[in-house]
């Protein structure tokens, strides 16, 4: 089956695709410059040499490349560049439907190609594709290997980003054969149904950033109408399909402790441990990414300013549960992290996961909860029913939902989301240079604030004489926001906003003890409208009780994943004659 | 003695001085605008009415004014404006030597004027001065009241800032009489010797910001030569004369706990409690004030970038000492703060003082020490011999030296330095608006970094081809610095510096547990010299593990006391042809 002819053709195809990649690389986009020289060498030497060179090259370079260009979540940027490249170059190339001359493979044969050493093959709608070269530039990182040796469909069903024409165009470049008719039938029979079909219904007011997995945020102007964010308006940030959990049969496993695993039912959690309630703000690390995206394209969901919400969470303290499971002075000697694993899984069965440092978990003032209530009701399905972790002061990503497993460990979680995502880098670091090991996993978040009213581009009636500006402010690590400064003139002069920790006209919540200010503050400033201005640039910036403040501008904190945009928030409004 | 004539003359004097203040106020300097209307009313109604109005006004306004214009450390700015005003307006006014026509007072009479209600009188070199109206604008705040009813000399000896011509000019405006000859003689006999005469000798390399009290910092370029700052180079920040403490008779009192006071000798501290060592960086809240001063004048010592140092501190844990003194669960219910009182005192006998929150003091990971060693030797006299508090991660001002007393309390320290100093405000807040109660006492410091090499204005030889930039980076609250970005082009592009936690070429100190990174990092970047530039603007900015970063610019964090300047540090260098 592996005839000279076919191999020659495959090589030609590979050379074309690599040459194209090389072009991308040398255009200075740094998509994958290391491919340039490889492409030239592959195309200029004999096939066997090339293949052995290619193999050797892969093994030798894999570690370096894995830690560099490709490791982690990859590059939407690269994806975009490739797409453009394909569009520009495809005119004279064979289209997806060029299959008749290609060899036929059995699923069994395809399944032997599951690694970079053996090649990475996948099937899609009856076609067979050797995507080995694509692995380093896959925007989803090496998670693509999960699909190696089998069908792409169930994975693409999980990640709807693949449901686009240019993704198929990229794939077509890697076609090496057809799947045998019998195997196509088998795959059709086994075809998974939409894993998102049982996702809950959501409120139509939400602005949807991604349907599958579901990610959405409320409109800013209604976000700060309530000090406690109603469940339906609380931003939804799902990484995978929402799992359906039967509360009666739900079991939480606590592992890694010398006594062996402890298994707890929902009733156990509710009855064996004191119920503890905190008001805590959760924020996605990608909140305000859309503004960072405007500076220079980044990879990630295009969140506005509302990937943040404040709720009352009730549940058992993680500390109490770990102590019941055998955490004591002996364990404290070696334990450094607590892992959380969700019941939300991808098609390969790997669960969402994260970890937090042990001192946050065990500190009496850490207030980490295994929460079963949100705002006095059962946690809604989208927010982790029946049990989620709430790690106050810490990035949303560690507040694992649909909690299935807790593991006490000497090591940090090896999860993709801990090691290769949710980390930030210098603005000078691009996908060709990024070393995920060089940055710590995001835990505590920096000080943040945003203007929810007026909206950017709003028109203000000059006859109103005064202007009211509203927003939220919060800081990670239990640091309390102590001041919000507002400027109506682009940062030249500043006024101090009124802060509150409750609904308007209601008494504030009691002041939290130092280091345990988990909840946001809402703020408001009513000031005279500057008399002659036709346009105002309104800015807010917050200061927390460590006197950390926000950076003035976005470019110096730009990072390739668009995380942690906490630069001053700016909106421009027009002053009109009513 | 209080004849109509004299009172009329005093009133005239007061009217002159108030009118002048009013002018300052209405010039938009906002030195003390509330005086304007008072001055007009005082000068336009009858004397008795005026005096009673004045009294009523003082009582009614005292609280508000005390919390506003004057409370705390006052206004060098106002001082400066007044000075200017006096210089401009004095041409036609009586000079200091206009005494012959003034009444003679006894010291006994002067001593009756010790409050705003009874008037605030002081004596200076045989003159008697009614400084009641000056109290609100005294740059040193209401500490001026400590001198009320007696001689200024001993206080001015403490605070050498008074040793300037314009201070005398201001004082002269308030002269109301002469001190009786006998009392002048008494005062001369009792004249205090220089309270600073027993201060220790200091290293001549230090750059002195103030001699009395002694405040000095090392030159930046030698600051980062050592990971552990040698004692002699460690910045000195004294608020008062250095006390001479005999280690043999030294006693530390621990108070406020139900068992009564615990008294500990130095030997007790060393033998009854485990010795604990930490490496911790201390930084003055005024570090880098000189750059803030350039934006707009602020009050305070003109520190460069070296009011920071890193040392190994050894001593007993505060936590252990408090537990030995009876701190337990019952105390934890009401205790909120731990006060520290130094043995350094002003002439009125009031000691330097500060407090920290109880959770920092008692947390197992808080690492607060009653330190008796610095870098393996007895703590030097300038740094608190024989015992100082080391509160790692917290502003220098709470690391009380020459520790005499510890008090566990439900309240924060009432000390001047806790309530009316070491707080920061919005850039829009000036001395006329400041309300010290509105801001929290500085505890944890924000993330900081600075360039120590090259120096601002240095010349770089183009033939060197590369440039090495060095500096330090640190963050408060035990947050570890995880990255330092350096720009050679004024912030357009950024490179990541190498960090180290040890001396160059030596192994790094072991990584601290999360939340206990008390020590700075030194950093270095060697990069190609940009080929065509004649001048480089070099910038550094640090990021800590809460991903807090530094603000881009100083004006938006400017505050009237010039505290907490943690904007990007910038130096400009010239590239020359060798």
């Amino acid at each position: 089956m592996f005839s000279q002819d076919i191999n020659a053709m495959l090589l030609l195809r590979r050379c074309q695709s690599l040459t194209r990649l090389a072009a991308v690389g040398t255009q200075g986009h740094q998509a994958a410059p290391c491919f340039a020289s490889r492409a030239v060498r592959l195309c200029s030497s004999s096939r066997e040499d090339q293949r052995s060179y290619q193999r050797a090259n892969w093994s030798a370079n894999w570690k370096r490349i894995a830690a560099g260009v490709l490791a982690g979540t990859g590059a939407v940027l690269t994806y975009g560049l490739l797409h453009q490249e394909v569009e520009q170059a495809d005119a004279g190339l064979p289209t997806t439907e060029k299959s008749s001359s290609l060899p036929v493979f059995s699923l069994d044969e395809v399944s032997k190609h599951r690694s970079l050493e053996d090649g990475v093959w996948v099937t899609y709608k009856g076609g067979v594709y050797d995507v080995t070269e694509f692995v380093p530039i896959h925007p989803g990182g090496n998670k693509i290997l999960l699909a190696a040796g089998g069908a792409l469909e169930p994975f693409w069903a999980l990640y709807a980003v693949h449901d686009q024409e240019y993704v198929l165009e990229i794939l077509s470049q890697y076609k090496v054969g057809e799947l045998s008719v019998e195997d196509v039938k088998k795959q059709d029979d086994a075809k998974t149904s939409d894993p998102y079909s049982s996702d809950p219904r959501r409120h139509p007011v939400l602005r949807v950033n991604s349907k599958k997995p579901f990610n959405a945020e409320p409109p800013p102007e209604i976000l700060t109408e309530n000090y406690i964010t109603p469940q339906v308006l609380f931003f939804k940030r799902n990484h995978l399909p929402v799992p359906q959990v039967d509360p009666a049969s739900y079991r939480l496993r606590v592992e890694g402790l010398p006594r062996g695993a402890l298994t707890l039912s929902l009733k156990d959690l509710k009855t064996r441990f004191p119920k503890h309630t905190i008001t805590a703000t959760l924020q996605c690390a990608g909140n305000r990414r859309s503004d960072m995206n405007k500076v220079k394209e980044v990879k990630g969901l295009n969140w506005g300013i509302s990937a943040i919400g404040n709720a009352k969470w009730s549940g058992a303290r993680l500390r109490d549960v770990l102590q019941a499971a055998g955490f004591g002075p002996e364990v404290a000697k070696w334990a450094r992290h607590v892992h959380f694993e969700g019941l939300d899984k991808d098609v390969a069965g790997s669960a969402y996961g994260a970890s937090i440092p042990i001192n946050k978990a065990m500190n009496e003032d850490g207030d980490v909860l295994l929460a079963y209530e949100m705002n006095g009701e059962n946690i809604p399905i989208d927010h982790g029913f029946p049990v989620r972790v709430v790690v106050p002061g810490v990035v949303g990503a560690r507040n694992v939902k649909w909690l299935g497993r807790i593991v006490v460990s000497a090591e940090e979680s090896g999860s993709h989301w801990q090691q290769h995502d949710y980390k930030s880098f210098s603005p000078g670091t691009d996908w060709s240079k990024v070393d995920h090991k060089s940055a710590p996993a995001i835990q505590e978040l920096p000080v943040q604030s945003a203007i929810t009213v007026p909206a950017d581009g709003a028109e203000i009636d000059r006859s109103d004489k005064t202007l009211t500006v509203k927003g939220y402010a919060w800081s990670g690590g239990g640091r309390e926001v102590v001041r919000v400064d507002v400027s109506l003139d682009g940062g030249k002069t500043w006024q101090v906003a009124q802060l509150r920790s409750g609904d308007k006209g209601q008494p504030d919540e009691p002041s939290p003890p130092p280091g345990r200010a988990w909840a946001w503050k809402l703020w408001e400033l009513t000031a005279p409208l500057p008399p002659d201005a036709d346009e105002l640039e309104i800015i807010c910036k917050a200061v927390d009780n460590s006197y950390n403040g926000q950076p003035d501008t976005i470019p110096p904190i730009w990072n390739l994943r668009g995380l942690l945009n906490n630069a001053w928030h700016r909106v421009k409004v027009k002053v009109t004659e009513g």
Side-chain angles (χ1 to χ4, degrees), chain A residues 306-560:
Chain A
S306 302
I308 187 169
N310 188 48
K312 273 192 198 299
W313 308 95
S314 305
R317 281 185 203 246
L318 172 62
R319 173 185 154 85
D320 296 340
V321 171
L322 291 183
Q323 281 174 336
F327 192 101
E330 280 306 305
V331 178
K333 286 181 189 160
W334 57 263
R336 293 292 173 270
H337 302 270
V338 181
H339 301 203
F340 307 117
E341 210 177 87
L343 295 167
D344 48 336
K345 291 179 178 161
D346 63 23
V347 276
S350 82
Y352 182 80
S355 67
I356 61 170
I358 193 78
N359 66 329
K360 174 67 179 171
M362 293 306 298
N363 192 315
E364 281 190 71
D365 296 343
D367 287 331
V368 181
L369 299 189
L370 307 181
Y372 42 77
E373 284 180 16
M374 180 183 188
N375 298 346
E377 294 173 7
N378 284 340
I379 295 219
I381 292 180
D382 254 334
H383 294 286
F385 180 83
V387 176
R388 80 173 298 173
V389 191
V390 173
V391 193
V394 160
V395 64
R398 315 300 170 213
N399 293 251
V400 174
K401 302 194 276 191
W402 314 289
L403 183 67
R405 198 161 154 252
I406 298 173
V407 185
V408 175
S409 172
E411 307 297 331
E412 203 181 27
S413 165
S415 146
H416 166 78
W417 293 276
Q418 190 85 15
Q419 298 299 329
H420 297 298
D421 199 350
Y422 296 117
K423 294 185 170 191
S424 181
F425 299 92
S426 175
T429 301
D430 61 26
W431 290 105
S432 75
K433 289 190 228 161
V434 67
D435 171 8
H436 279 86
K437 291 211 188 327
S438 71
I442 298 170
Q443 296 282 349
E444 290 183 1
L445 289 173
V447 58
Q448 176 70 289
S449 68
I451 299 161
T452 53
V453 175
D456 192 42
E459 299 198 347
I460 311 292
D461 188 336
R462 194 184 303 280
S463 66
D464 287 351
K465 297 285 197 305
T466 63
L467 172 65
T468 296
V469 187
K470 298 180 190 179
Y472 63 76
W474 180 72
S475 187
R479 292 179 285 280
E480 186 174 7
V481 166
V482 298
R483 202 181 78 230
V484 172
D485 296 328
V486 178
S487 175
L488 305 183
D489 55 10
K492 283 188 214 101
T493 63
W494 299 89
Q495 301 176 63
V496 179
Q498 285 288 328
L499 306 180
R500 58 186 164 86
S501 298
D503 280 323
K504 205 166 178 186
Q506 299 298 309
D508 275 1
E509 290 210 348
S511 266
R516 292 166 80 182
W518 312 125
W520 68 9
K521 303 230 176 158
L522 300 183
W523 56 264
E524 192 168 324
L525 174 81
T526 298
L529 211 50
D532 300 319
D534 294 324
E535 191 183 58
L536 306 178
E537 186 182 11
I538 311 176
I539 304 181
C540 72
K541 65 182 177 82
V543 177
D544 69 19
N545 65 354
S546 72
Y547 281 100
N548 270 301
Q550 300 180 232
D552 310 16
T553 59
I554 299 175
I557 57 165
W558 183 96
N559 60 88
L560 72 194

Side-chain angles (χ1 to χ4, degrees), chain A residues 74-400:
Chain A
V76 146
L77 195 61
T78 313
Y79 220 31
L81 289 170
L82 252 184
H83 174 206
Q84 204 178 15
E85 199 59 28
V86 168
E87 284 193 324
Q88 288 163 356
D90 250 5
L93 281 176
T95 68
T96 322
E97 297 311 320
K98 57 186 184 312
S99 47
S100 55
S101 64
L102 290 173
V104 173
F105 297 105
S106 70
L107 203 47
D108 192 46
E109 237 166 331
V110 171
S111 73
K112 290 173 187 156
H113 300 272
R114 311 173 71 104
S115 68
L116 291 161
E117 285 71 20
D118 301 322
V120 177
W121 287 22
V122 292
T123 69
Y124 183 75
K125 291 195 176 167
V128 177
Y129 302 83
D130 176 355
V131 296
T132 316
E133 270 93 18
F134 185 65
V135 175
I137 52 170
H138 176 233
N142 52 16
K143 283 186 83 68
I144 194 177
L145 293 176
L146 291 172
L152 278 179
E153 284 88 339
F155 292 88
W156 284 14
L158 265 186
Y159 302 105
V161 67
H162 296 91
D163 192 14
Q164 299 184 66
E165 185 61 25
Y166 75 88
V167 176
L168 284 179
E169 287 169 10
I170 294 169
L171 182 67
S172 72
Q173 304 306 306
Y174 298 99
K175 193 160 186 181
V176 292
E178 303 292 344
L179 192 59
S180 69
V181 179
E182 309 83 65
D183 284 333
V184 171
K185 196 173 173 305
K186 264 191 224 159
Q187 279 191 341
D188 282 349
D189 294 345
K191 201 174 272 171
T192 44
S193 62
D194 179 1
Y196 292 97
S197 59
S198 56
D199 264 25
R201 295 191 62 171
R202 282 93 180 196
H203 197 284
V205 78
L206 295 175
R207 294 178 180 177
V208 178
N209 293 312
S210 147
K211 275 191 180 161
K212 300 176 181 184
F214 190 75
N215 287 280
E217 64 189 305
E221 60 274 22
I222 66 170
L223 174 65
T224 49
E225 278 181 0
N226 304 284
Y227 178 70
I228 300 292
T229 314
Q231 289 93 314
V232 291
L233 296 181
F234 207 97
F235 77 100
K236 322 288 176 204
R237 202 292 174 238
N238 297 342
H239 295 85
L240 295 161
V242 173
Q244 302 300 307
V245 185
D246 169 21
S249 59
Y250 170 79
R251 293 294 180 275
L252 171 64
R253 282 177 65 85
V254 184
E255 301 176 10
L257 293 164
R259 280 190 212 156
L262 173 69
T263 303
L264 296 167
S265 68
L266 185 57
K267 194 178 162 197
D268 290 338
L269 258 189
K270 291 185 176 180
T271 56
R272 285 181 50 188
F273 304 95
K275 182 176 174 181
H276 188 70
T277 299
I278 58 170
T279 303
T281 296
L282 296 190
Q283 183 185 210
C284 177
N287 191 31
R288 303 184 55 206
R289 179 181 284 128
S290 56
D291 280 342
M292 196 170 269
N293 229 349
K294 288 174 198 160
V295 170
K296 188 174 144 194
E297 199 179 3
V298 296
K299 176 190 183 314
L301 297 164
N302 207 33
W303 293 106
I305 64 170
S306 302
I308 187 169
N310 188 48
K312 273 192 198 299
W313 308 95
S314 305
R317 281 185 203 246
L318 172 62
R319 173 185 154 85
D320 296 340
V321 171
L322 291 183
Q323 281 174 336
F327 192 101
E330 280 306 305
V331 178
K333 286 181 189 160
W334 57 263
R336 293 292 173 270
H337 302 270
V338 181
H339 301 203
F340 307 117
E341 210 177 87
L343 295 167
D344 48 336
K345 291 179 178 161
D346 63 23
V347 276
S350 82
Y352 182 80
S355 67
I356 61 170
I358 193 78
N359 66 329
K360 174 67 179 171
M362 293 306 298
N363 192 315
E364 281 190 71
D365 296 343
D367 287 331
V368 181
L369 299 189
L370 307 181
Y372 42 77
E373 284 180 16
M374 180 183 188
N375 298 346
E377 294 173 7
N378 284 340
I379 295 219
I381 292 180
D382 254 334
H383 294 286
F385 180 83
V387 176
R388 80 173 298 173
V389 191
V390 173
V391 193
V394 160
V395 64
R398 315 300 170 213
N399 293 251
V400 174

